[in-house]
Amino acid sequence: MKHNFGAGPCVLPQEVFKQAAQAVLDFNDTGLSILEISHRAPEFVAVMDEAISLVKELLHVPAGYSVLFLQGGASMQFAMVPYNLLPEGKKASYLDTGVWSKKAIAEAKLFGEVAVVASSKDQNYTYIPKEFTVDNDSVYLHFTSNNTIFGTEFTNYPKTNVPLVCDMSSDIFSREINVADFDLIYAGAQKNIGPAGATVVIVKDELLGKTGRAIPSMMDYQKHIEAESMYNTPPVFSVFVSMLNLRWLKSKGGVAEIAKENVAKAKALYDEIDRNPLFKGTTAKEDRSNMSVCFVMENPELEKPFLKYAEEKGCIGIKGHRSVGGFRASLYNALPITSVHVLVDAMQEFAEKHA
Ligand SMILES: *Cc1c(COP(=O)(O)O)cnc(C)c1O
């Protein structure tokens, strides 16, 4: 049995894989595969509708917001956000908390002025900056809620008097949020929603249409809202499997319930990292991510042998990103706590062998 700690694409529930496999052969008794069915067929329109409704229901999205399933990944949103929100000659503020923030900042600079109001680059992004001021003339403040590569996560979201835009790619649906605190949220599906290919965007309608700029249709949120995420052929299979996974999440009791499990999973692993003399965490304790757990070994020479040992126990995808080294265990919703226990046991057994 494999325990998939990969950062993305992510582990999904076995029952979702089974339902997806069945639909590849025969989707909803249509006699057609989900891979060949028309995206305009009523059966698929129903899938898109249910996927959007489930996002709204599971996150308690209030009235006045639209939910979209788009393409291009979170990386496309790095450009789409300023394209749609940042008028020429105006300023947007960004928090620089890691690789993904940095990429979002680079894209925004193509559209207007960017103020980086805080950065944790000075300590290789191992903490979340907490003191910063956002100028009132900023069109929005952008931040990354979970820094997938460096293993830090905002416990408290920034409080500002300008619209708040969040890249929530790697912790959306992992914890309860108050959508009304945000003006735009986006997330690539492949971290906690479904397979790669779809991107979820939740946008406050009144934010749009204010730049005075002509926007190409595929980059225009308004066009996608009007077309109900069907402006062009949507990523049918990715939306379908995302819908199945959101159904699974609902059957588990929703975000509030999965959040408790996610806290328990992260605690089990961090407790071992702190207890076991061979290992140490790489981030400030108060900013530790519940989704992306980064750690290294006191003796770097043991890292390769431990990686091999963990892989023999079925733990896959724990090699750290090259900018941090060591290990990263991603604990997305569908990863059971029993998988965390297998990793913790491997750490303990390895420590006994190398005591
Ligand atoms: C993975 C990731 C991205 C990039 O996502 P793509 O869908 O591959 O473009 C952006 N932001 C965060 C926080 C991520 O974890």
Side-chain angles (χ1 to χ4, degrees):
M1 161 145 193
K2 299 290 186 204
H3 307 280
N4 183 7
F5 292 90
C10 65
V11 57
L12 291 169
Q14 278 300 315
E15 60 186 271
V16 167
F17 288 140
K18 284 188 187 133
Q19 290 162 14
Q22 174 54 39
V24 168
L25 298 174
D26 182 2
F27 169 57
N28 267 3
D29 299 319
T30 54
L32 294 174
S33 167
I34 184 70
L35 301 181
E36 65 180 329
I37 196 162
S38 163
H39 61 289
R40 304 284 176 197
E43 291 88 348
F44 181 73
V45 174
V47 168
M48 181 63 93
D49 288 347
E50 185 175 345
I52 290 172
S53 311
L54 282 165
V55 172
K56 289 183 173 169
E57 182 183 344
L58 289 163
L59 294 178
H60 312 291
V61 177
Y65 287 77
S66 295
V67 172
L68 298 169
F69 276 84
L70 305 179
Q71 303 189 60
S75 300
M76 177 77 102
Q77 295 308 307
F78 296 162
M80 237 169 125
V81 164
Y83 215 153
N84 284 264
L85 304 185
L86 179 59
E88 236 182 286
K90 288 278 173 69
K91 177 171 74 184
S93 292
Y94 277 72
L95 298 179
D96 173 28
T97 57
V99 168
W100 300 115
S101 306
K102 222 162 71 184
K103 290 192 167 174
I105 289 165
E107 298 288 284
K109 284 181 177 165
L110 300 173
F111 298 90
E113 191 191 329
V114 172
V116 178
V117 293
S119 171
S120 48
K121 193 172 180 211
D122 57 343
Q123 292 181 41
N124 197 31
Y125 298 116
T126 50
Y127 69 102
I128 297 287
K130 297 175 189 73
E131 300 294 322
F132 50 85
T133 33
V134 180
D135 288 346
N136 281 331
D137 62 351
S138 282
V139 179
Y140 60 83
L141 172 67
H142 177 284
F143 76 107
T144 315
S145 55
N146 184 65
N147 296 286
T148 325
I149 289 173
F150 294 94
T152 61
E153 188 173 18
F154 281 79
T155 308
N156 302 306
Y157 296 125
K159 293 241 180 314
T160 65
N161 37 15
V162 304
L164 197 56
V165 176
C166 184
D167 175 0
M168 229 177 250
S169 290
S170 54
D171 67 351
I172 193 167
F173 294 111
S174 74
R175 58 195 282 202
E176 289 189 281
I177 57 166
N178 182 15
V179 173
D181 291 342
F182 299 87
D183 295 79
L184 194 151
I185 293 167
Y186 62 88
Q190 74 278 11
K191 303 275 168 61
N192 216 7
I193 301 173
T199 312
V200 170
V201 175
I202 305 169
V203 57
K204 198 177 200 172
D205 298 322
E206 68 180 37
L207 213 61
L208 301 174
K210 294 181 179 165
T211 60
R213 172 191 286 135
I215 302 171
S217 302
M218 278 299 284
M219 301 288 282
D220 187 346
Y221 292 125
Q222 202 65 58
K223 284 257 164 51
H224 289 288
I225 292 170
E226 283 159 19
E228 299 178 333
S229 297
M230 297 268 204
Y231 175 79
N232 70 329
T233 317
V236 169
F237 190 64
S238 179
V239 173
F240 174 67
V241 181
S242 298
M243 186 273 288
L244 293 176
N245 188 45
L246 294 174
R247 267 189 197 164
W248 170 85
L249 177 56
K250 185 179 167 181
S251 76
K252 293 273 289 180
V255 177
E257 285 306 309
I258 208 87
K260 286 182 210 159
E261 281 185 37
N262 288 333
V263 168
K265 288 186 306 194
K267 182 173 187 313
L269 186 49
Y270 283 121
D271 281 354
E272 180 60 20
I273 290 167
D274 291 340
R275 187 206 62 80
N276 192 319
L278 258 53
F279 297 90
K280 63 178 177 193
T282 55
T283 66
K285 279 192 180 173
E286 71 273 17
D287 300 324
R288 282 174 163 180
S289 164
N290 281 342
M291 284 288 106
S292 319
V293 177
C294 293
F295 55 104
V296 294
M297 294 186 85
E298 294 284 357
N299 175 2
E301 281 175 14
L302 287 178
E303 288 185 348
K304 261 200 183 134
F306 176 71
L307 186 67
K308 188 160 171 284
Y309 187 79
E311 278 173 0
E312 281 164 13
K313 300 282 170 180
C315 296
I316 301 303
I318 63 165
K319 194 174 188 336
H321 190 272
R322 62 188 177 281
S323 46
V324 179
F327 306 97
R328 168 178 53 175
S330 303
L331 311 180
Y332 296 123
N333 286 353
L335 185 90
I337 194 161
T338 46
S339 293
V340 178
H341 293 153
V342 170
L343 178 58
V344 166
D345 288 348
M347 292 162 78
Q348 290 176 356
E349 292 157 17
F350 192 82
E352 276 162 27
K353 287 193 175 87
H354 292 85

